[in-house]
Short mmCIF file of all heavy atoms in Angstrom, two decimals:
data_model
loop_
_atom_site.label_atom_id
_atom_site.label_comp_id
_atom_site.label_asym_id
_atom_site.label_seq_id
_atom_site.Cartn_x
_atom_site.Cartn_y
_atom_site.Cartn_z
N ALA M 30 -29.60 -40.85 17.50
CA ALA M 30 -29.54 -41.35 18.91
C ALA M 30 -30.78 -41.05 19.64
O ALA M 30 -31.29 -41.86 20.41
CB ALA M 30 -28.30 -40.71 19.59
N TYR M 31 -31.33 -39.86 19.41
CA TYR M 31 -32.56 -39.43 20.10
C TYR M 31 -33.68 -40.40 19.77
O TYR M 31 -34.40 -40.89 20.64
CB TYR M 31 -32.90 -38.02 19.68
CG TYR M 31 -34.20 -37.51 20.26
CD1 TYR M 31 -34.30 -37.11 21.61
CD2 TYR M 31 -35.33 -37.36 19.48
CE1 TYR M 31 -35.45 -36.64 22.14
CE2 TYR M 31 -36.51 -36.86 20.01
CZ TYR M 31 -36.56 -36.51 21.32
OH TYR M 31 -37.73 -36.04 21.87
N PHE M 32 -33.87 -40.71 18.47
CA PHE M 32 -34.96 -41.57 18.09
C PHE M 32 -34.76 -43.04 18.40
O PHE M 32 -35.72 -43.75 18.65
CB PHE M 32 -35.30 -41.37 16.59
CG PHE M 32 -36.06 -40.10 16.39
CD1 PHE M 32 -35.42 -39.04 15.77
CD2 PHE M 32 -37.34 -39.95 16.83
CE1 PHE M 32 -36.11 -37.83 15.61
CE2 PHE M 32 -38.02 -38.74 16.69
CZ PHE M 32 -37.39 -37.67 16.06
N THR M 33 -33.53 -43.48 18.39
CA THR M 33 -33.28 -44.84 18.74
C THR M 33 -33.58 -45.09 20.22
O THR M 33 -33.93 -46.19 20.62
CB THR M 33 -31.85 -45.34 18.40
OG1 THR M 33 -30.91 -44.46 19.00
CG2 THR M 33 -31.63 -45.35 16.90
N GLU M 34 -33.44 -44.04 21.00
CA GLU M 34 -33.73 -44.17 22.44
C GLU M 34 -35.24 -43.87 22.71
O GLU M 34 -35.85 -44.49 23.56
CB GLU M 34 -32.87 -43.17 23.27
CG GLU M 34 -31.41 -43.55 23.29
CD GLU M 34 -31.16 -44.93 23.88
OE1 GLU M 34 -31.76 -45.28 24.94
OE2 GLU M 34 -30.34 -45.67 23.30
N LEU M 35 -35.78 -42.92 21.99
CA LEU M 35 -37.16 -42.49 22.22
C LEU M 35 -38.18 -43.50 21.70
O LEU M 35 -39.17 -43.80 22.32
CB LEU M 35 -37.39 -41.12 21.59
CG LEU M 35 -38.70 -40.44 21.87
CD1 LEU M 35 -38.85 -40.18 23.37
CD2 LEU M 35 -38.78 -39.10 21.14
N ALA M 36 -37.91 -44.03 20.51
CA ALA M 36 -38.81 -44.97 19.86
C ALA M 36 -38.04 -46.15 19.32
O ALA M 36 -37.97 -46.36 18.12
CB ALA M 36 -39.63 -44.24 18.77
N PRO M 37 -37.41 -46.92 20.18
CA PRO M 37 -36.53 -47.99 19.71
C PRO M 37 -37.27 -49.07 18.91
O PRO M 37 -36.70 -49.63 17.98
CB PRO M 37 -35.91 -48.58 21.00
CG PRO M 37 -36.83 -48.16 22.08
CD PRO M 37 -37.44 -46.86 21.65
N SER M 38 -38.51 -49.33 19.20
CA SER M 38 -39.23 -50.35 18.46
C SER M 38 -39.42 -49.98 16.97
O SER M 38 -39.32 -50.80 16.08
CB SER M 38 -40.56 -50.71 19.10
OG SER M 38 -41.43 -49.60 19.01
N ILE M 39 -39.67 -48.68 16.75
CA ILE M 39 -39.80 -48.19 15.37
C ILE M 39 -38.48 -48.33 14.66
O ILE M 39 -38.42 -48.85 13.53
CB ILE M 39 -40.33 -46.73 15.36
CG1 ILE M 39 -41.71 -46.64 15.89
CG2 ILE M 39 -40.23 -46.18 13.91
CD1 ILE M 39 -42.20 -45.20 16.10
N ASN M 40 -37.43 -47.89 15.31
CA ASN M 40 -36.11 -47.96 14.66
C ASN M 40 -35.70 -49.41 14.43
O ASN M 40 -35.21 -49.75 13.35
CB ASN M 40 -35.08 -47.27 15.55
CG ASN M 40 -33.75 -47.09 14.87
OD1 ASN M 40 -33.66 -46.42 13.86
ND2 ASN M 40 -32.74 -47.74 15.39
N ASP M 41 -35.91 -50.28 15.37
CA ASP M 41 -35.52 -51.69 15.23
C ASP M 41 -36.29 -52.33 14.09
O ASP M 41 -35.72 -53.10 13.33
CB ASP M 41 -35.73 -52.45 16.54
CG ASP M 41 -34.78 -52.04 17.64
OD1 ASP M 41 -33.77 -51.36 17.36
OD2 ASP M 41 -35.07 -52.40 18.82
N GLN M 42 -37.56 -52.07 14.05
CA GLN M 42 -38.40 -52.64 12.99
C GLN M 42 -37.96 -52.14 11.62
O GLN M 42 -37.85 -52.89 10.63
CB GLN M 42 -39.86 -52.33 13.20
CG GLN M 42 -40.78 -53.01 12.20
CD GLN M 42 -42.23 -52.69 12.44
OE1 GLN M 42 -42.59 -51.82 13.21
NE2 GLN M 42 -43.11 -53.46 11.76
N CYS M 43 -37.64 -50.83 11.54
CA CYS M 43 -37.21 -50.27 10.26
C CYS M 43 -35.90 -50.89 9.81
O CYS M 43 -35.76 -51.28 8.65
CB CYS M 43 -37.06 -48.74 10.41
SG CYS M 43 -36.68 -47.90 8.88
N LEU M 44 -34.95 -50.94 10.71
CA LEU M 44 -33.66 -51.57 10.36
C LEU M 44 -33.80 -53.02 9.94
O LEU M 44 -33.17 -53.48 9.01
CB LEU M 44 -32.67 -51.44 11.54
CG LEU M 44 -32.21 -50.02 11.88
CD1 LEU M 44 -31.35 -50.03 13.11
CD2 LEU M 44 -31.53 -49.36 10.72
N ASP M 45 -34.67 -53.75 10.63
CA ASP M 45 -34.89 -55.13 10.31
C ASP M 45 -35.52 -55.25 8.89
O ASP M 45 -35.11 -56.13 8.11
CB ASP M 45 -35.82 -55.80 11.33
CG ASP M 45 -36.07 -57.25 11.06
OD1 ASP M 45 -35.08 -58.03 10.91
OD2 ASP M 45 -37.25 -57.63 10.93
N MET M 46 -36.47 -54.44 8.60
CA MET M 46 -37.13 -54.51 7.29
C MET M 46 -36.13 -54.10 6.15
O MET M 46 -36.16 -54.71 5.12
CB MET M 46 -38.36 -53.59 7.24
CG MET M 46 -39.49 -54.12 8.10
SD MET M 46 -40.83 -52.93 8.25
CE MET M 46 -41.66 -53.20 6.66
N LEU M 47 -35.31 -53.15 6.42
CA LEU M 47 -34.33 -52.74 5.44
C LEU M 47 -33.31 -53.87 5.20
O LEU M 47 -32.91 -54.17 4.07
CB LEU M 47 -33.58 -51.46 5.86
CG LEU M 47 -34.40 -50.18 5.77
CD1 LEU M 47 -33.68 -49.02 6.45
CD2 LEU M 47 -34.71 -49.84 4.30
N ASP M 48 -32.89 -54.54 6.28
CA ASP M 48 -31.97 -55.66 6.13
C ASP M 48 -32.61 -56.83 5.34
O ASP M 48 -31.97 -57.41 4.52
CB ASP M 48 -31.53 -56.23 7.53
CG ASP M 48 -30.50 -55.34 8.21
OD1 ASP M 48 -29.90 -54.46 7.54
OD2 ASP M 48 -30.34 -55.48 9.43
N ARG M 49 -33.85 -57.13 5.63
CA ARG M 49 -34.52 -58.23 4.98
C ARG M 49 -34.83 -57.93 3.54
O ARG M 49 -34.98 -58.83 2.70
CB ARG M 49 -35.79 -58.59 5.68
CG ARG M 49 -35.51 -59.37 6.97
CD ARG M 49 -36.76 -59.91 7.61
NE ARG M 49 -37.51 -58.80 8.22
CZ ARG M 49 -38.84 -58.67 8.18
NH1 ARG M 49 -39.56 -59.54 7.59
NH2 ARG M 49 -39.42 -57.61 8.71
N ALA M 50 -34.93 -56.65 3.17
CA ALA M 50 -35.24 -56.24 1.80
C ALA M 50 -34.10 -56.69 0.86
O ALA M 50 -34.37 -56.94 -0.34
CB ALA M 50 -35.46 -54.74 1.67
N GLU M 51 -32.85 -56.73 1.32
CA GLU M 51 -31.72 -57.16 0.53
C GLU M 51 -31.65 -56.39 -0.79
O GLU M 51 -31.18 -56.91 -1.79
CB GLU M 51 -31.77 -58.64 0.25
CG GLU M 51 -31.66 -59.48 1.52
CD GLU M 51 -31.67 -61.00 1.22
OE1 GLU M 51 -31.75 -61.36 0.06
OE2 GLU M 51 -31.63 -61.75 2.18
N ASN M 52 -32.06 -55.14 -0.74
CA ASN M 52 -32.07 -54.32 -1.95
C ASN M 52 -31.84 -52.87 -1.51
O ASN M 52 -32.58 -52.37 -0.69
CB ASN M 52 -33.43 -54.47 -2.64
CG ASN M 52 -33.50 -53.75 -3.97
OD1 ASN M 52 -32.81 -52.76 -4.21
ND2 ASN M 52 -34.32 -54.26 -4.84
N GLU M 53 -30.83 -52.28 -2.05
CA GLU M 53 -30.47 -50.90 -1.70
C GLU M 53 -31.10 -49.84 -2.56
O GLU M 53 -30.77 -48.68 -2.46
CB GLU M 53 -28.94 -50.74 -1.71
CG GLU M 53 -28.24 -51.62 -0.68
CD GLU M 53 -28.41 -51.09 0.73
OE1 GLU M 53 -28.45 -49.88 0.92
OE2 GLU M 53 -28.53 -51.90 1.66
N GLU M 54 -31.97 -50.21 -3.49
CA GLU M 54 -32.56 -49.29 -4.38
C GLU M 54 -33.48 -48.28 -3.69
O GLU M 54 -34.12 -48.64 -2.71
CB GLU M 54 -33.32 -50.00 -5.51
CG GLU M 54 -32.42 -50.83 -6.43
CD GLU M 54 -33.22 -51.51 -7.54
OE1 GLU M 54 -34.38 -51.14 -7.77
OE2 GLU M 54 -32.67 -52.41 -8.17
N LEU M 55 -33.54 -47.09 -4.22
CA LEU M 55 -34.35 -46.02 -3.67
C LEU M 55 -35.81 -46.48 -3.50
O LEU M 55 -36.39 -46.27 -2.48
CB LEU M 55 -34.25 -44.82 -4.56
CG LEU M 55 -35.17 -43.63 -4.24
CD1 LEU M 55 -34.67 -42.90 -3.01
CD2 LEU M 55 -35.33 -42.73 -5.41
N ALA M 56 -36.39 -47.01 -4.55
CA ALA M 56 -37.79 -47.39 -4.49
C ALA M 56 -38.07 -48.42 -3.40
O ALA M 56 -39.11 -48.36 -2.72
CB ALA M 56 -38.22 -47.97 -5.84
N THR M 57 -37.13 -49.35 -3.21
CA THR M 57 -37.34 -50.35 -2.17
C THR M 57 -37.31 -49.69 -0.75
O THR M 57 -38.15 -49.98 0.09
CB THR M 57 -36.22 -51.41 -2.24
OG1 THR M 57 -36.33 -52.05 -3.53
CG2 THR M 57 -36.36 -52.48 -1.15
N LYS M 58 -36.35 -48.81 -0.53
CA LYS M 58 -36.23 -48.11 0.74
C LYS M 58 -37.48 -47.28 0.99
O LYS M 58 -37.99 -47.26 2.13
CB LYS M 58 -34.99 -47.26 0.80
CG LYS M 58 -33.71 -48.07 0.93
CD LYS M 58 -32.54 -47.13 1.08
CE LYS M 58 -31.22 -47.93 1.32
NZ LYS M 58 -30.09 -47.05 1.55
N LEU M 59 -37.97 -46.61 0.00
CA LEU M 59 -39.16 -45.78 0.18
C LEU M 59 -40.38 -46.62 0.55
O LEU M 59 -41.20 -46.25 1.40
CB LEU M 59 -39.46 -44.93 -1.07
CG LEU M 59 -38.44 -43.86 -1.36
CD1 LEU M 59 -38.80 -43.11 -2.66
CD2 LEU M 59 -38.30 -42.86 -0.24
N LYS M 60 -40.48 -47.82 -0.06
CA LYS M 60 -41.59 -48.72 0.29
C LYS M 60 -41.45 -49.23 1.74
O LYS M 60 -42.45 -49.36 2.45
CB LYS M 60 -41.64 -49.91 -0.68
CG LYS M 60 -42.13 -49.50 -2.04
CD LYS M 60 -42.09 -50.70 -3.01
CE LYS M 60 -42.48 -50.24 -4.41
NZ LYS M 60 -42.36 -51.33 -5.36
N VAL M 61 -40.25 -49.50 2.15
CA VAL M 61 -40.02 -49.92 3.55
C VAL M 61 -40.43 -48.78 4.50
O VAL M 61 -41.14 -49.00 5.45
CB VAL M 61 -38.54 -50.32 3.79
CG1 VAL M 61 -38.22 -50.43 5.28
CG2 VAL M 61 -38.23 -51.65 3.09
N TYR M 62 -40.00 -47.56 4.22
CA TYR M 62 -40.37 -46.43 5.06
C TYR M 62 -41.91 -46.24 5.06
O TYR M 62 -42.47 -45.94 6.07
CB TYR M 62 -39.70 -45.16 4.61
CG TYR M 62 -38.20 -45.14 4.90
CD1 TYR M 62 -37.30 -44.72 3.94
CD2 TYR M 62 -37.70 -45.55 6.12
CE1 TYR M 62 -35.92 -44.74 4.20
CE2 TYR M 62 -36.36 -45.55 6.38
CZ TYR M 62 -35.47 -45.13 5.44
OH TYR M 62 -34.11 -45.13 5.70
N ALA M 63 -42.55 -46.48 3.92
CA ALA M 63 -43.99 -46.38 3.87
C ALA M 63 -44.69 -47.41 4.79
O ALA M 63 -45.64 -47.10 5.47
CB ALA M 63 -44.51 -46.54 2.42
N ARG M 64 -44.12 -48.62 4.76
CA ARG M 64 -44.71 -49.68 5.62
C ARG M 64 -44.50 -49.31 7.10
O ARG M 64 -45.37 -49.57 7.94
CB ARG M 64 -44.09 -51.04 5.29
CG ARG M 64 -44.55 -51.50 3.92
CD ARG M 64 -44.31 -52.97 3.63
NE ARG M 64 -43.20 -53.63 4.25
CZ ARG M 64 -42.11 -54.10 3.61
NH1 ARG M 64 -41.99 -53.91 2.33
NH2 ARG M 64 -41.18 -54.70 4.29
N ILE M 65 -43.35 -48.70 7.45
CA ILE M 65 -43.13 -48.28 8.81
C ILE M 65 -44.08 -47.17 9.20
O ILE M 65 -44.65 -47.19 10.30
CB ILE M 65 -41.64 -47.83 8.96
CG1 ILE M 65 -40.68 -48.99 8.84
CG2 ILE M 65 -41.42 -47.09 10.25
CD1 ILE M 65 -40.82 -50.05 9.89
N VAL M 66 -44.25 -46.18 8.31
CA VAL M 66 -45.18 -45.10 8.61
C VAL M 66 -46.60 -45.65 8.79
O VAL M 66 -47.31 -45.25 9.70
CB VAL M 66 -45.15 -44.01 7.48
CG1 VAL M 66 -46.33 -43.03 7.61
CG2 VAL M 66 -43.83 -43.27 7.52
N HIS M 67 -46.96 -46.59 7.93
CA HIS M 67 -48.30 -47.15 8.02
C HIS M 67 -48.48 -47.96 9.35
O HIS M 67 -49.46 -47.81 10.07
CB HIS M 67 -48.55 -48.11 6.85
CG HIS M 67 -49.82 -48.86 6.93
ND1 HIS M 67 -51.05 -48.29 6.80
CD2 HIS M 67 -50.06 -50.17 7.18
CE1 HIS M 67 -51.99 -49.22 6.96
NE2 HIS M 67 -51.39 -50.37 7.17
N ALA M 68 -47.49 -48.78 9.66
CA ALA M 68 -47.55 -49.61 10.88
C ALA M 68 -47.59 -48.77 12.15
O ALA M 68 -48.19 -49.20 13.17
CB ALA M 68 -46.39 -50.56 10.89
#
C-alpha cells in the first residue's frame, strides 16, 4: 500500500508489464523486474 501510493507509476508499469508477459515463470518475472529497475 505504501509503494502503490508513494510511487504509483512504478507499480502501475510493473503490473502492466507482468500482465502483458502472459508468463508466470520465475525467469520472466525477474526480467520484468529488471526492466522496471532499469527504467
Side-chain angles (χ1 to χ4, degrees):
Y31 178 74
F32 284 108
T33 56
E34 292 300 318
L35 188 60
S38 64
I39 294 172
N40 190 64
D41 291 346
Q42 185 179 13
C43 185
L44 293 176
D45 182 56
M46 290 173 79
L47 288 169
D48 284 345
R49 286 187 287 140
E51 296 181 0
N52 185 331
E53 294 288 324
E54 293 181 16
L55 172 76
T57 301
K58 287 183 176 183
L59 292 178
K60 288 177 185 175
V61 166
Y62 290 134
R64 291 196 331 248
I65 292 296
V66 169
H67 174 71

